[in-house]
Amino acid sequence: MARCALFNSHAQNIEVTSPNGLVSVAFTLTGNGVPTYAMSFNSKEVVAPSKLGLELAEEHSLLDGFTLAATERSTFDETWQPVWGETKNIRNHYNELLVRLQQDETGRLMNIRFRVYNDGVGFRYEFPQQEKLVYFVVKDERTQFAMTGDHTAWWIPGDYDTQEYDYTESKLSEIRGLMKSAICDNASQTLFSPTGVQTALQLKTADGIYLNIHEAALIDYSCMHLDLDDNRFIFNTQLTPDAQGNMAHMQSPCHTPWRTVMVADNACGILSSNLILNLNEPCKITDTSWIKPVKYVGVWWEMIGGGKQWSYTFDLPSVKLGETDYSLVKPHGQHPANNENVRRYIDFAAQHGFDQVLVEGWNTGWEDWFGHSKDYVFDFQTPYPDFDIRALNDYAHSKGVRLMMHHETSSSVRNYERHLEAAYNLMNQYGYNAVKSGYVGNIIPRGEHHYGQWMVNHYLYCVTEAAKHHIMVNAHEAVRPTGLCRTWPNLIGNESARGTEYESFGGNKPSHTTVLPFTRLQGGPMDYTPGIFEMDMSKVDPKSHSHVNSTLARQLALYVTMYSPLQMAADVPEQYERFMDAFQFIKDVAVDWDDSRYLEAEPGQYITVARKAKGTNDWFVGCTSGEQGYQSVLPLSFLDSGKKYDCTIYADAPNAHYLTNPQAYTIKKKVVTDKTVLRLKAAPGGGYAISIKERK
Ligand code: NOJ
Ligand code: CA
């Protein structure tokens, strides 16, 4: 057996266990000095002996020939308060083992640091300052995660440039056979293997243990994917290469990101884990008073779903950035980012209590971008002639609303960096404090990937520069989050997954939002852009054949189940005006929380969560269900005993169905206490949303 070969009788296990003793890691150097680890939960092996190490571009990789120089142990226990979050307090409690290794032949030093929590394990490679290892190039990281069986997995294809996939649920042994259909509509340019998948990867063992593999604090390194050896069920690390095929350029002292394995015996345990945040550094921003959760509407769905344009003119050949005289070009008249329409959104936002209005298509360059992959497209400063940046901002501010900036970089990254300071200054000048940025298309410089080290550094550069300007960042198509929002809480959101926009590009699987909180949301909040009320997209754009695979009640629930301090009401005002009674929930729901309780969950099937709004005694509950629907039995025991609450339940009507009857909902009001048990049914692709306000 492979296991015996790795852990031969001479090998000595060095163990470290979690504070409650249930999770443990055993580190071993095998006969020829190969570092390995294994992990167990509740005395059951959950990661079989797995190799550790790095292949370097130069001679003498860091794979074997190691001897143990020393070990150090410590315990850490603190409770910290996030600037915004799912809970007011987060406990960071772990036992740590630092293994100091020396490669005898080269004299090189490599340390491996393990942190063992009650909800999982994080470990990373560290390279102290040393003469024998100064600059080095990682050719391949060889960290393994050896699974103990043919687990069920919720996965998306490994890809260096996009995560905008639906999830596939399958056994590990089925991944190879299903890969082709998993790639579906938005075919990848950079699929690296027929068994390659992305993290955070959610897994479930045959005996009901939930595992989740991801990474934390991805800084100055490339993003990790997993390549499955499906004969042995071993996941091998697959980093994202740079244009020359290398994975990372390092200079000691330095370390890799944390590799993480979460573990729980129930699905809610995975959802409530703070492992990823805890493995990140504390907040580096001293004054965080300018960082505020945001609820917003936007000039957006009109283009994404409604067939209108970001550009001002169709007169493509005559448009050249910086040289085009827009008074000479003919507007096509389908440009929603115009003064009159933006005022309409500002009025709507002010009337219904939204903080901000996103306006996409406000700036020149869009004509030049579509169909071209040019280095220099946008300058992020020049408004189209029908967007009066000063007047619109003044108008918004006079109504207590802000505009939200939009920077589509077109993935021309050097161009963006060239203009970044001026673009942020412009935002400061007009009073914008949040930017939605985006990275559509192949990265320029060509050959770089969205998830490579160079881009990882770029995304963080934008966030840290933004902090100097008191600007919050919500980056779309950026690398998947790994908890960096703890350190830089002005990283208020990311997309980095298949969002609601795909409901108008063919639709998302009804189960999609029952998986995302297990996977994509582990690393940080998602700008999922929920709140679509018209599901038949042909009614919005006669050319469209798409259908939003959700009931209306579930669209409300997503504000609670898809945790984010940045939430959009993504549909157009006209749709909300049709269903004002349901829209009330979106107006009321909080975006920042003192407490969160995951009540019921199973990936792919349902998630129900209750959250307590920041600084209040009010609760909001959301349930999202997959294709089968779900019957909840919900004790409200999280409420204070002895108090009465006014409860409003926005639920699927009995005949609701995401495909055939998505807009059928009921709104019921009742008085509840901590003794109340609600029985609520979520339709197929449905859900429910509840607001519970303390009776004063
Ligand atoms: C893709 C983003 O996800 C979407 O929200 C945005 O509207 C377009 N890019 C254009 O920037
Ligand atoms: Ca996107």
Side-chain angles (χ1 to χ4, degrees):
M1 241 169 65
R3 197 171 308 162
C4 300
L6 276 175
F7 279 65
N8 64 34
S9 54
H10 306 294
Q12 194 201 341
N13 270 4
I14 305 167
E15 278 202 22
V16 52
T17 55
S18 59
N20 68 0
L22 292 183
V23 181
S24 86
V25 166
F27 173 83
T28 306
L29 277 179
T30 60
N32 56 343
V34 176
T36 64
Y37 77 103
M39 176 178 167
S40 68
F41 173 61
N42 234 336
S43 307
K44 268 188 202 147
E45 189 174 64
V46 289
V47 179
S50 300
K51 291 184 186 175
L52 297 164
L54 299 160
E55 184 186 337
L56 303 189
E58 53 261 53
E59 264 185 291
H60 300 298
S61 288
L62 299 167
L63 294 169
D64 54 17
F66 286 104
T67 52
L68 187 65
T71 59
E72 289 167 27
R73 289 173 184 277
S74 60
T75 293
F76 188 82
D77 189 3
E78 70 163 14
T79 297
W80 58 280
Q81 286 75 39
V83 173
W84 41 260
E86 293 188 78
T87 56
K88 190 176 181 179
N89 296 306
I90 296 179
R91 188 169 180 195
N92 186 9
H93 189 196
Y94 59 82
N95 290 331
E96 181 172 285
L97 169 70
L98 178 67
V99 180
R100 294 187 182 277
L101 301 174
Q102 176 161 344
Q103 198 174 37
D104 289 336
E105 198 187 335
T106 61
R108 287 174 172 174
L109 307 175
M110 177 172 85
N111 301 338
I112 304 174
R113 189 181 297 273
F114 294 93
R115 289 189 178 163
V116 184
Y117 292 78
N118 293 343
D119 53 354
V121 170
F123 61 88
R124 71 180 185 192
Y125 303 91
E126 300 183 351
F127 308 95
Q129 191 165 346
Q130 53 193 298
E131 275 175 24
K132 302 281 168 49
L133 191 66
V134 183
Y135 300 103
F136 59 105
V137 177
V138 178
K139 189 84 202 142
D140 227 342
E141 183 181 316
R142 297 279 196 85
T143 306
Q144 295 183 329
F145 304 86
M147 299 293 97
T148 55
D150 190 8
H151 304 332
T152 302
W154 288 264
W155 56 274
I156 54 175
D159 188 317
Y160 303 139
D161 285 291
T162 181
Q163 290 171 249
E164 297 184 353
Y165 291 102
D166 264 317
Y167 284 86
T168 300
E169 176 182 333
S170 80
K171 295 281 186 202
L172 295 178
S173 56
E174 295 166 338
I175 290 178
R176 183 183 295 274
L178 291 169
M179 186 57 74
K180 223 173 162 183
S181 57
I183 296 168
C184 56
D185 46 355
N186 54 326
S188 152
Q189 313 91 31
T190 57
L191 196 79
F192 59 80
S193 151
T195 51
V197 296
Q198 304 200 26
T199 75
L201 177 69
Q202 182 60 44
L203 300 151
K204 187 181 180 184
T205 68
D207 49 359
I209 295 175
Y210 296 81
L211 296 168
N212 185 291
I213 305 176
H214 192 31
E215 62 180 312
L218 169 58
I219 297 172
D220 201 9
Y221 201 74
S222 69
C223 173
M224 178 180 81
H225 314 258
L226 301 169
D227 194 6
L228 180 69
D229 169 347
D230 49 358
N231 289 318
R232 299 186 297 161
F233 302 133
I234 295 176
F235 285 111
N236 292 301
T237 292
Q238 172 67 47
L239 297 178
T240 308
D242 67 13
Q244 272 128 31
N246 292 313
M247 303 301 176
H249 289 255
M250 312 285 280
Q251 183 186 350
S252 65
C254 58
H255 55 75
T256 67
W258 296 96
R259 277 65 189 92
T260 62
V261 183
M262 265 173 230
V263 63
D265 55 13
N266 67 85
C268 291
I270 298 285
L271 295 176
S272 53
S273 170
N274 285 308
L275 185 82
I276 303 289
L277 287 178
N278 277 332
L279 286 166
N280 275 268
E281 293 294 312
C283 182
K284 284 198 199 288
I285 300 172
T286 326
D287 169 19
T288 57
S289 58
W290 51 274
I291 301 173
K292 301 241 185 301
V294 175
K295 211 193 283 184
Y296 73 104
V297 292
V299 177
W300 182 70
W301 195 242
E302 290 188 59
M303 291 90 89
I304 290 282
K308 294 189 183 158
Q309 301 297 317
W310 283 263
S311 69
Y312 173 75
T313 173
F314 288 140
D315 206 1
L316 289 173
S318 68
V319 177
K320 204 163 176 198
L321 190 65
E323 292 175 28
T324 297
D325 180 351
Y326 274 88
S327 66
L328 301 178
V329 299
K330 202 166 147 276
H332 52 50
Q334 290 292 303
H335 178 236
N338 66 66
N339 292 324
E340 192 189 338
N341 199 36
V342 173
R343 276 205 177 82
R344 184 170 72 98
Y345 277 80
I346 294 170
D347 291 344
F348 184 80
Q351 188 186 348
H352 297 291
F354 287 83
D355 305 302
Q356 303 211 359
V357 176
L358 165 74
V359 185
E360 295 200 7
W362 69 277
N363 58 325
T364 60
W366 291 87
E367 294 83 356
D368 219 18
W369 175 37
F370 288 126
H372 308 270
S373 198
K374 280 175 53 176
D375 201 348
Y376 187 93
V377 176
F378 296 106
D379 70 2
F380 313 97
Q381 292 156 83
T382 313
Y384 279 129
D386 57 349
F387 183 88
D388 185 335
I389 188 167
R390 175 173 299 285
L392 288 170
N393 276 286
D394 287 350
Y395 184 68
H397 298 163
S398 77
K399 298 204 147 200
V401 171
R402 283 183 198 255
L403 294 188
M404 186 183 289
M405 181 46 80
H406 183 236
H407 292 163
E408 173 52 67
T409 69
S410 67
S411 289
S412 182
V413 178
R414 281 205 193 288
N415 178 57
Y416 189 41
E417 289 185 352
R418 264 200 298 270
H419 292 292
L420 196 65
E421 175 69 13
Y424 285 165
N425 281 335
L426 184 90
M427 289 178 62
N428 286 154
Q429 183 186 342
Y430 290 108
Y432 292 83
N433 72 348
V435 58
K436 169 180 170 181
S437 57
Y439 297 85
V440 173
N442 291 339
I443 300 291
I444 303 171
R446 294 180 178 83
E448 292 297 335
H449 293 295
H450 281 74
Y451 310 146
Q453 183 182 21
W454 192 76
M455 285 304 294
V456 163
N457 289 344
H458 164 79
Y459 304 126
L460 189 53
Y461 172 72
C462 294
V463 171
T464 53
E465 287 301 300
K468 295 178 192 162
H469 290 262
H470 288 193
I471 286 170
M472 301 183 283
V473 176
N474 163 27
H476 280 220
E477 295 91 25
V479 70
R480 46 191 163 274
T482 56
L484 294 176
C485 58
R486 176 180 179 190
T487 316
W488 290 281
N490 66 316
L491 177 56
I492 193 94
N494 274 120
E495 183 195 47
S496 309
R498 188 181 176 100
T500 298
E501 60 183 357
Y502 279 84
E503 299 282 22
S504 84
F505 309 157
N508 290 341
K509 283 186 184 173
S511 60
H512 194 51
T513 52
T514 69
V515 181
L516 283 171
F518 286 95
T519 53
R520 161 63 184 78
L521 269 61
Q522 289 294 348
M526 177 171 178
D527 183 24
Y528 188 69
T529 69
I532 304 303
F533 279 10
E534 179 51 68
M535 315 302 166
D536 177 354
M537 294 307 295
S538 71
K539 291 200 175 134
V540 179
D541 175 6
K543 295 187 295 301
S544 176
H545 301 292
S546 203
H547 182 86
V548 179
N549 291 326
S550 166
T551 64
L552 192 151
R554 193 256 282 270
Q555 288 293 311
L556 304 181
L558 297 177
Y559 290 89
V560 191
T561 62
M562 298 286 291
Y563 165 67
S564 177
L566 173 101
Q567 289 282 16
M568 184 180 201
D571 214 331
V572 295
E574 304 88 285
Q575 295 300 343
Y576 292 135
E577 274 149 12
R578 287 172 63 198
F579 305 98
M580 268 301 165
D581 55 353
F583 185 57
Q584 188 63 41
F585 182 83
I586 302 180
K587 291 169 65 171
D588 291 345
V589 70
V591 281
D592 200 11
W593 311 96
D594 277 340
D595 200 1
S596 289
R597 309 275 178 92
Y598 288 91
L599 304 173
E600 317 166 304
E602 185 59 23
Q605 294 182 29
Y606 55 89
I607 293 174
T608 309
V609 59
R611 302 191 196 273
K612 191 178 186 193
K614 187 124 224 142
T616 74
N617 210 12
D618 299 339
W619 289 77
F620 293 86
V621 180
C623 169
T624 175
S625 81
E627 189 82 44
Q628 308 307 321
Y630 188 64
Q631 174 71 57
S632 289
V633 179
L634 221 59
L636 303 185
S637 51
F638 49 84
L639 299 177
D640 289 349
S641 67
K643 285 188 179 152
K644 286 190 172 162
Y645 295 80
D646 289 314
C647 169
T648 310
I649 303 169
Y650 304 75
D652 291 323
N655 58 350
H657 188 287
Y658 76 95
L659 273 182
T660 52
N661 200 13
Q663 289 167 325
Y665 61 87
T666 61
I667 301 178
K668 289 189 181 136
K669 290 184 188 292
K670 63 198 289 185
V671 177
V672 296
T673 69
D674 65 322
K675 305 281 177 311
T676 305
V677 178
L678 297 175
R679 288 182 170 73
L680 295 169
K681 196 163 166 273
Y688 56 80
I690 312 175
S691 82
I692 304 175
K693 290 189 194 280
E694 187 187 346
R695 268 208 164 172
K696 294 274 161 59

